[in-house]
């Protein structure tokens, strides 16, 4: 499992990527080296969500990457994939029990080492800190600073994910501060073509081969 928890973590956004773009933009991110894909769809259309998640799972399988579902434990359990939970998205312990030992389960920790400690205790596979920069996708997310990544590295054995406003320009400082994964929405998918998404994904991924 841990070999997937290093490098680029591509997160979809239902407002940014309509149904016409979702698969080809994610395909490009995977072709560029993304190791995890999070399906983050905030709509209530259960059937479409299930269908899109199945299609994304097939793509992830093809590229040897792993799929994570945002917020929705029943869907993650149905597809036997990973799950990301925020502070108000339900119990990590229950999710771990439902999905089993091998599932990748991530937890939002904002800028709090205490939240991270609790998440690790409750069975999180990785802890996510952020937002590190101004985010187009989630402008109201609480702010964090890169020193938190250094502290998190020292305190926890699980991989550390950085999120929030990450671009090719500002990512290296997070990589250097200790982020195992860079979780990116707009800085990856806010592009006009799949070839541009693939180019960005390749450059994010190369940060984990060269530093
Ligand atoms: C990798 C990663 N980190 C943080 C989040 C944010 O989760 P949450 O606070 O539950 O907010 P929503 O994404 O549900 O709007 C995430 N999704 N992924
Ligand atoms: C979904 C999410 N969670 C965050 C947090 O800080 O917990 S920031 C964020 C948005 C990430 O999108 P972008 O890469 O476009 O900023
Ligand atoms: Mg959530």
């Amino acid at each position: 499992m841990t070999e997937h928890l290093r490098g680029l973590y591509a997160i979809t956004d239902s407002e940014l990527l309509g149904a016409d773009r979702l698969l080809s933009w994610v395909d490009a991110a995977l072709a560029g080296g993304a190791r995890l894909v999070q399906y983050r769809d905030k709509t209530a259309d259960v059937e479409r969500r299930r269908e899109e998640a199945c299609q994304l799972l097939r793509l992830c399988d093809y590229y040897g990457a792993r799929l994570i579902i945002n917020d929705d434990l029943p869907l993650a359990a149905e597809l036997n994939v990973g799950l990301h939970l925020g502070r108000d998205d339900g119990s990590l312990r229950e999710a771990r029990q439902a999905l089993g030992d091998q599932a990748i389960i991530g937890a939002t920790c904002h800028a709090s080492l205490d939240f991270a400690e609790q998440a690790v205790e409750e069975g999180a596979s990785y802890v996510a800190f952020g937002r590190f920069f101004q985010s187009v996708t989630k402008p109201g997310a609480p702010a964090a600073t890169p020193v938190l990544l250094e502290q998190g590295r020292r305190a926890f054995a699980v991989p550390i994910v950085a999120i929030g406003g990450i671009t090719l320009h500002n990512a290296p400082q997070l990589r250097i501060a200790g982020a195992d994964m860079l979780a990116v929405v707009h800085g990856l998918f806010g592009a006009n073509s799949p070839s541009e998404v693939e180019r960005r994904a390749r450059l994010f991924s190369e940060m984990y081969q060269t530093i």
Side-chain angles (χ1 to χ4, degrees):
M1 171 198 352
T2 47
E3 79 276 8
H4 292 97
L5 299 181
R6 190 176 149 77
L8 176 62
Y9 185 173
I11 302 187
T12 72
D13 179 80
S14 35
E15 286 180 21
L16 181 64
L17 297 177
D20 53 331
R21 290 190 167 189
L22 179 68
L23 290 182
S24 45
W25 262 240
V26 172
D27 192 333
L30 288 163
R35 305 304 297 141
L36 288 187
V37 172
Q38 183 184 128
Y39 178 52
R40 182 173 176 275
D41 180 306
K42 293 289 184 180
T43 71
D45 187 341
V46 175
E47 271 315 309
R48 185 182 47 75
R49 284 165 50 83
R50 180 184 290 115
E51 179 54 33
E52 287 182 352
C54 286
Q55 290 171 332
L56 292 179
L57 179 56
R58 281 194 287 274
L59 269 183
C60 286
D61 284 347
Y62 176 79
Y63 284 99
R66 299 286 285 268
L67 179 66
I68 307 293
I69 303 289
N70 182 56
D71 291 347
D72 188 343
L73 172 58
L75 182 56
E78 182 183 332
L79 300 188
N80 193 26
V81 299
L83 177 70
H84 183 93
L85 291 180
R87 296 291 302 164
D88 302 320
D89 295 332
S91 157
L92 276 167
R93 279 190 210 285
E94 281 174 28
R96 175 58 69 201
Q97 210 161 18
L99 298 178
D101 283 351
Q102 297 304 310
I104 299 172
I105 302 178
T108 298
C109 300
H110 300 303
S112 168
L113 294 170
D114 290 341
F115 288 169
E117 187 175 347
Q118 185 190 355
V120 171
E121 247 175 56
E122 293 175 359
S125 316
Y126 68 77
V127 290
F129 294 113
R131 58 162 174 91
F132 286 96
F133 306 101
Q134 194 54 48
S135 168
V136 176
T137 308
K138 204 160 187 174
T145 54
V147 72
L148 189 65
L149 298 171
E150 291 165 18
Q151 294 166 336
R153 276 302 278 237
R154 283 199 293 274
F156 308 114
V158 300
I160 309 287
V161 173
I163 189 168
I166 300 175
T167 63
L168 287 171
H169 180 69
N170 61 31
Q173 62 188 284
L174 302 179
R175 166 73 180 95
I176 287 164
D180 294 291
M181 300 207 86
L182 302 171
V184 192
V185 181
H186 202 270
L188 175 65
F189 289 122
N192 287 326
S193 66
S195 60
E196 173 60 12
V197 173
E198 181 172 341
R199 185 189 75 85
R200 293 181 186 185
R202 208 170 288 289
L203 290 170
F204 279 120
S205 301
E206 281 172 6
M207 291 176 200
Y208 283 84
Q209 289 154 12
T210 54
I211 296 179

